Amino acid sequence: MQPLGLINGEIIDINSNVVPMEDRGHQFGDGVYEVTRVYNGKCFALKPHMDRMYRSLRELRIPATYTFGELAEFHERLIQESGITEGGVYLQVTRGIAPRAHNFPENTVPRLTMSIRPIGAGTPLTAIRESGAKIIFISDERWLRCDIKSLNLLGNILGKQKAKETGCFEAVMLRDGLVTEGTSSNFFIVRDGVLWTHPVNNLILKGVTRTIVIEHIAAELGIPVIEKAFDGEFAKGTAEAFLSGTTTEIAPVVSIDGAPVGSGAVGPITRKIQYAYGKLIDLECMR
Amino acid sequence: MQPLGLINGEIIDINSNVVPMEDRGHQFGDGVYEVTRVYNGKCFALKPHMDRMYRSLRELRIPATYTFGELAEFHERLIQESGITEGGVYLQVTRGIAPRAHNFPENTVPRLTMSIRPIGAGTPLTAIRESGAKIIFISDERWLRCDIKSLNLLGNILGKQKAKETGCFEAVMLRDGLVTEGTSSNFFIVRDGVLWTHPVNNLILKGVTRTIVIEHIAAELGIPVIEKAFDGEFAKGTAEAFLSGTTTEIAPVVSIDGAPVGSGAVGPITRKIQYAYGKLIDLECMR
């Protein structure tokens, strides 16, 4: 059970120097990434993650150089060789190595780096999923292509750090007064039995967990979903709220900016969705 | 005369692998940079570049670990050991190496990497400075902290690439209809003998060359300066326009979106400013 890296299809020490200073990831954040959760030694929802990765590459016009089959095999190999059964596989592709200039270089090869790290059962996330997360609202200062899962993450970093320093789990962002998403999660509210979340456009990432919640879980449970932007006050006046994400899974939100959400306890619809999400993981990874 | 790299104060092959995959520059674009021009084997305006770098670090709360004296010595060493007398020194500092998580890691050491590359006299820039640049206007999609010279450069990259593909030298960006700056330069217009440019705030980088133009050249030549945002139509109706930047120096703009600026020839005030900038370089580097 040790973290491992992978580059050019070869397993490596995660701490070894494998990137030259003029990799465009290192100098421009010019690349895309994905994180896939591993349960019971199996990847959960790998296909939608890789599909989204290919979309991000297309949007940035970085050529795709590995097939889904090859990427699946690399995930497999990292799991096998690390012995990690509960963890996360990180994958990123940069536009490659070239003398520094803003425009796309010609004749470079995109660079794939991957790694695996364990995610323990005893992390703070376990407690947060059980008893709920405190969050803060902050201003969304990111660029206007948040639909691309790119390496330009400073806005997310600064937001997450602010959350941490105010004793919160996550910062959820507002642009022009409307709630977009968390720094590493999507944000849902429950109002009068209806699920609300920001629609898919250039202002949010189309989360894989978000899609599962809307298309599988809510559909199956018969919970109506409204994909429409709403403001901070609307969110604060809600009965329930939760965050969704690959690592976050379904995390109930019990307070926003220090004020309780609903009764301040985890709500019943959130619990149902959490339970259903757990069942989907069981179905895909536990047998 | 060969490009060289520098890390931890040591000269290295610029192509060697010196960065682990979990450097926060590589995974988040979590760092800052500067480019300083070398003329006649001497750095031009090194102090304001390093001062700005310290400011960028402070804004991102990355600790500064090298003094100005040390950084000046590293610049010197790259020039000496490479034998490059006309070139550019690139410097970047990332938040260091840590297992991937959005919030700031604890107990990591910021990583400084530097490099030097020649800038030839026969580059396209030479011709552009003489006969002028074509530019396009594009929408400014970047984040709201463009005052930080960070490694989150995807908006700049996509804009520069678009310029290149339309046969232009630079893309100048408009936010809410107002002209901000170029993807790697500041933008000035001349109207009725007055210099206009976007004011210094969170929407533009405070260019070192921009400051020299305003505080030294315009002041000395008695040209009034108005630092106020203006729209695209206002810019297109101008007599003269130019770009300023460390590598760009002063580049006249002769067409915007395919239409000539003023007469379509390089204007007299732009030439005066170019000349004055050349004299400042002579004064600092040529003796």
Side-chain angles (χ1 to χ4, degrees):
Chain A
M1 282 257 307
Q2 55 168 345
L4 284 179
L6 182 145
I7 188 163
N8 299 327
E10 299 300 320
I11 296 285
I12 56 155
D13 178 343
I14 199 171
N15 300 311
S16 57
N17 292 329
V18 288
V19 181
M21 61 174 73
E22 287 186 337
D23 183 290
R24 290 181 63 98
H26 186 240
Q27 293 193 323
F28 294 104
D30 189 8
V32 307
Y33 76 102
E34 285 291 334
V35 181
T36 304
R37 191 69 167 80
V38 174
Y39 301 99
N40 192 35
K42 294 172 189 168
C43 286
F44 179 66
L46 182 62
K47 188 68 169 50
H49 279 288
M50 295 302 104
D51 284 348
R52 185 173 63 184
M53 197 268 298
Y54 287 123
R55 179 190 180 273
S56 294
L57 287 175
R58 281 195 304 276
E59 291 299 312
L60 293 183
R61 296 167 53 200
I62 297 173
T65 54
Y66 290 101
T67 63
F68 174 71
E70 286 170 319
L71 295 174
E73 193 214 313
F74 296 157
H75 281 79
E76 205 52 47
R77 204 184 307 165
L78 279 167
I79 294 167
Q80 290 299 325
E81 300 217 14
S82 67
I84 292 170
T85 53
E86 307 299 318
V89 175
Y90 176 83
L91 173 161
Q92 85 171 50
V93 178
T94 73
R95 204 184 300 273
I97 301 156
R100 187 179 181 282
H102 282 72
N103 52 273
F104 302 168
E106 281 163 31
N107 309 318
T108 65
V109 180
R111 297 259 293 186
L112 169 72
T113 49
M114 293 176 62
S115 60
I116 187 166
R117 284 194 172 274
I119 297 178
T123 60
L125 259 172
T126 315
I128 277 169
R129 278 187 219 112
E130 187 50 37
S131 50
K134 297 178 191 178
I135 67 164
I136 47 168
F137 279 161
I138 62 168
S139 175
D140 194 339
E141 300 193 325
R142 300 172 304 159
W143 75 326
L144 297 175
R145 292 304 307 275
C146 296
D147 56 309
I148 301 172
K149 200 165 170 76
S150 84
L151 305 176
N152 275 208
L153 290 168
L154 272 172
N156 307 61
I157 283 172
L158 296 177
K160 186 70 104 181
Q161 181 65 15
K162 196 164 179 180
K164 190 186 167 193
E165 290 174 2
T166 51
C168 289
F169 172 68
E170 178 66 298
V172 168
M173 296 173 279
L174 280 73
R175 195 186 294 266
D176 299 327
L178 300 177
V179 179
T180 54
E181 61 184 342
T183 68
S184 64
S185 59
N186 289 116
F187 180 71
F188 287 81
I189 57 172
V190 186
R191 259 188 103 100
D192 304 322
V194 175
L195 221 50
W196 290 68
T197 195
H198 194 282
V200 169
N201 61 17
N202 62 313
L203 299 181
I204 69 159
L205 184 77
K206 190 182 175 185
V208 169
T209 311
R210 176 190 182 283
T211 301
I212 292 171
V213 166
I214 294 172
E215 295 183 8
H216 296 274
I217 297 173
E220 185 139 325
L221 295 177
I223 304 169
V225 179
I226 298 180
E227 294 181 67
K228 187 177 171 184
F230 48 82
D231 66 23
E233 289 313 302
F234 189 82
K236 286 178 176 177
T238 196
E240 302 183 34
F242 62 89
L243 305 166
S244 71
T246 294
T247 309
T248 305
E249 299 178 355
I250 309 296
V253 171
V254 291
S255 92
I256 301 174
D257 288 340
V261 171
S263 69
V266 178
I269 294 180
T270 303
R271 278 283 183 245
K272 274 188 197 169
I273 291 169
Q274 268 189 323
Y275 182 78
Y277 190 70
K279 294 303 270 184
L280 288 174
I281 293 168
D282 286 353
L283 204 65
E284 189 170 328
C285 300
M286 294 303 172
R287 50 179 194 177
Chain B
M1 282 253 310
Q2 57 167 345
L4 285 179
L6 181 144
I7 189 164
N8 298 329
E10 299 300 320
I11 296 287
I12 56 156
D13 179 344
I14 198 170
N15 301 308
S16 57
N17 293 327
V18 288
V19 181
M21 60 175 72
E22 287 186 336
D23 182 291
R24 290 180 63 97
H26 187 240
Q27 293 192 324
F28 293 103
D30 189 8
V32 307
Y33 77 102
E34 285 293 331
V35 180
T36 304
R37 191 69 167 79
V38 174
Y39 300 100
N40 190 35
K42 293 173 190 169
C43 287
F44 179 65
L46 181 62
K47 188 67 169 49
H49 280 288
M50 296 303 103
D51 284 347
R52 184 172 64 184
M53 196 270 295
Y54 288 123
R55 178 190 181 271
S56 295
L57 288 175
R58 281 195 304 273
E59 291 300 310
L60 293 182
R61 295 166 55 198
I62 297 174
T65 55
Y66 290 101
T67 63
F68 173 71
E70 286 169 320
L71 296 174
E73 192 214 315
F74 296 157
H75 281 77
E76 204 53 47
R77 206 186 304 166
L78 279 167
I79 294 168
Q80 290 298 328
E81 300 217 14
S82 67
I84 292 171
T85 52
E86 307 299 316
V89 175
Y90 175 83
L91 172 160
Q92 84 171 50
V93 178
T94 73
R95 204 183 301 272
I97 301 155
R100 188 181 179 282
H102 283 72
N103 52 272
F104 303 167
E106 280 162 33
N107 309 319
T108 66
V109 180
R111 295 259 292 184
L112 168 72
T113 50
M114 293 176 63
S115 60
I116 187 165
R117 283 193 173 275
I119 297 178
T123 60
L125 259 172
T126 314
I128 276 167
R129 277 187 221 114
E130 187 49 37
S131 50
K134 298 176 188 178
I135 67 164
I136 48 169
F137 279 162
I138 62 170
S139 175
D140 194 338
E141 299 192 325
R142 300 172 303 159
W143 74 327
L144 296 175
R145 291 305 307 274
C146 296
D147 56 308
I148 301 171
K149 200 165 172 73
S150 84
L151 304 175
N152 274 210
L153 290 168
L154 272 171
N156 307 61
I157 284 173
L158 297 176
K160 185 70 104 180
Q161 180 66 14
K162 195 165 181 182
K164 189 186 167 192
E165 290 173 3
T166 52
C168 289
F169 172 69
E170 177 65 298
V172 169
M173 297 173 277
L174 278 73
R175 194 186 294 265
D176 300 327
L178 301 178
V179 179
T180 53
E181 61 182 342
T183 68
S184 64
S185 59
N186 289 114
F187 180 70
F188 286 83
I189 56 172
V190 186
R191 258 186 104 101
D192 305 321
V194 175
L195 220 50
W196 290 68
T197 196
H198 194 284
V200 169
N201 61 17
N202 62 314
L203 300 180
I204 69 159
L205 184 75
K206 189 181 175 186
V208 169
T209 311
R210 177 190 181 282
T211 300
I212 292 172
V213 166
I214 294 173
E215 294 184 7
H216 296 273
I217 298 174
E220 185 140 325
L221 296 176
I223 305 169
V225 180
I226 298 180
E227 294 182 67
K228 187 177 172 185
F230 47 84
D231 66 23
E233 290 313 304
F234 188 81
K236 285 178 177 175
T238 196
E240 303 183 34
F242 64 88
L243 305 166
S244 71
T246 294
T247 309
T248 305
E249 300 178 355
I250 309 296
V253 171
V254 292
S255 94
I256 301 174
D257 288 341
V261 171
S263 67
V266 177
I269 293 179
T270 303
R271 278 282 184 246
K272 272 188 198 168
I273 291 168
Q274 268 189 323
Y275 182 79
Y277 190 69
K279 293 304 271 185
L280 288 174
I281 293 167
D282 286 353
L283 203 67
E284 189 168 329
C285 299
M286 293 304 171
R287 51 179 194 178

